[in-house]
Amino acid sequence: RMLEFARIGENLEGLPRLEHNGAEAFFRRVEQNAADLATWVGELYFELHRGTYTTQAANKKKNRRAEFLLRETEILQSIGMLDKSEYPARELTEIWKIVLKNQFHDIIPGSSIGAVYKDSDADYERVFAEAGRIRDAGLQALSAMVDTRGPKKPIFVFNALNWERSDIVEAPLPAQMKVAGVADAFGNDMPYEIVGPPARRRVRFLARNVPGIGYHVFRLLDKASADAEPPQLLASETKLENRWLRVEFDKQGLIRSIFDKDAGREIV
């Protein structure tokens, strides 16, 4: 059928004249006219494909999440080789094949049929489970290589980015553990807060200056240091307060007062 269409197109009014021929004749003509042809140097990249949209945003997000996860996994497993651990090349190759298959140009932009995205969702769940398991094993192996001996409970924080990073870290707390502070490896106090119900308490703190592709060990303290700042955020059902503002609510949750501590005056 395609050949019949091609023959129709050889002399179809309104369209350029077509010549139906074989590959050998085509390349012979290319050689004969090579001097008149433009030469392209570098990557064949179509600029209009940059930042294109998709009808399947969740699918595209999972693909990006899978790429980030595999990057972290490869970094941690590569570091593990310093301790003579075996690199899981075969497993990671199979996982990458799943991710790359789902980067096919009809899947990513969302132009496939619905059944394709059911399959890709299942593929990504497999990727997250298998790569996550390998990544966590690498993280456990790396933390076991680090000397965390010292007072109080250590929290090992790894930064997979290439540059130094300060960010919020959250970790579970034993039910009966008292926390009066969080300090870095140099004894500097970190801003922190305790969140969650008693049965699922977590400590949330600012992990400052964790080096790129590196780690810091922070410690939970049961006694605050002499120069530690008091907690900067206080919260109750009707009030939120930090070093700058005190905000009060009524029983319906509507704001009734915002007091600016620096200016010493009521805003609302």
Side-chain angles (χ1 to χ4, degrees):
R1 181 180 296 178
M2 287 185 173
L3 294 175
E4 291 298 324
F5 281 142
R7 292 189 182 100
I8 293 173
E10 289 175 358
N11 191 23
L12 188 63
E13 185 177 354
L15 291 180
R17 180 66 57 87
L18 299 178
E19 180 181 333
H20 190 218
N21 213 322
E24 185 177 350
F26 168 77
F27 284 111
R28 193 158 50 241
R29 290 181 62 181
V30 168
E31 288 178 346
Q32 293 170 356
N33 296 277
D36 299 325
L37 297 177
T39 300
W40 184 279
V41 178
E43 183 181 2
L44 283 173
Y45 178 74
F46 186 39
E47 289 79 1
L48 295 180
H49 283 166
R50 185 194 299 272
T52 52
Y53 294 110
T54 178
T55 64
Q56 303 291 329
N59 179 272
K60 195 169 186 178
K61 184 176 182 180
K62 287 180 180 179
N63 188 274
R64 195 61 168 146
R65 177 183 162 196
E67 289 182 325
F68 286 145
L69 174 59
L70 280 164
R71 176 187 174 275
E72 292 177 2
T73 302
E74 291 181 337
I75 288 172
L76 287 162
Q77 288 295 329
S78 298
I79 294 174
M81 294 174 69
L82 299 174
D83 196 40
K84 299 182 180 179
S85 299
E86 184 177 352
Y87 188 82
R90 183 183 58 81
E91 293 176 274
L92 290 176
T93 297
E94 291 304 311
I95 296 172
W96 265 117
K97 286 181 178 180
I98 297 172
V99 175
L100 294 173
K101 178 190 72 175
N102 284 286
Q103 290 182 352
F104 178 68
H105 69 258
D106 279 333
I107 299 179
I108 284 285
S111 50
S112 293
I113 61 174
V116 170
Y117 297 104
K118 291 182 180 179
D119 289 346
S120 67
D121 280 346
D123 282 344
Y124 286 129
E125 291 308 312
R126 177 184 169 189
V127 167
F128 298 149
E130 295 184 6
R133 172 182 55 80
I134 299 172
R135 188 239 358 235
D136 292 347
L139 192 59
Q140 290 289 341
L142 175 59
S143 62
M145 295 164 58
V146 175
D147 184 1
T148 58
R149 292 175 298 178
K152 312 312 171 189
K153 185 176 180 63
I155 296 182
F156 176 84
V157 177
F158 179 77
N159 173 20
L161 298 180
N162 290 339
W163 50 85
E164 185 178 85
R165 178 181 184 185
S166 297
D167 211 335
I168 301 299
V169 168
E170 197 170 286
L173 281 177
Q176 305 302 320
M177 185 174 185
K178 295 182 179 179
V179 177
V182 178
D184 65 11
F186 307 103
N188 300 311
D189 292 291
M190 301 289 108
Y192 79 97
E193 60 179 342
I194 307 300
V195 297
R200 296 193 301 276
R201 292 190 315 150
R202 304 182 305 282
V203 59
R204 182 184 294 155
F205 64 94
L206 176 62
R208 284 199 184 104
N209 306 328
V210 182
I213 315 294
Y215 66 88
H216 269 338
V217 176
F218 296 85
R219 297 196 176 276
L220 302 182
L221 309 176
D222 56 5
K223 294 181 180 179
S225 62
D227 56 350
E229 295 183 9
Q232 299 172 4
L233 179 64
L234 302 174
S236 68
E237 292 185 356
T238 58
K239 185 167 68 174
L240 288 174
E241 185 172 357
N242 61 18
R243 65 170 70 177
W244 300 286
L245 297 173
R246 182 173 64 249
V247 183
E248 297 180 2
F249 307 87
D250 63 18
K251 293 183 178 180
Q252 285 71 42
L254 300 176
I255 294 175
R256 293 306 182 196
S257 171
I258 299 179
F259 186 80
D260 186 327
K261 294 183 176 181
D262 283 343
R265 66 183 181 86
E266 178 68 32
I267 299 174
V268 175

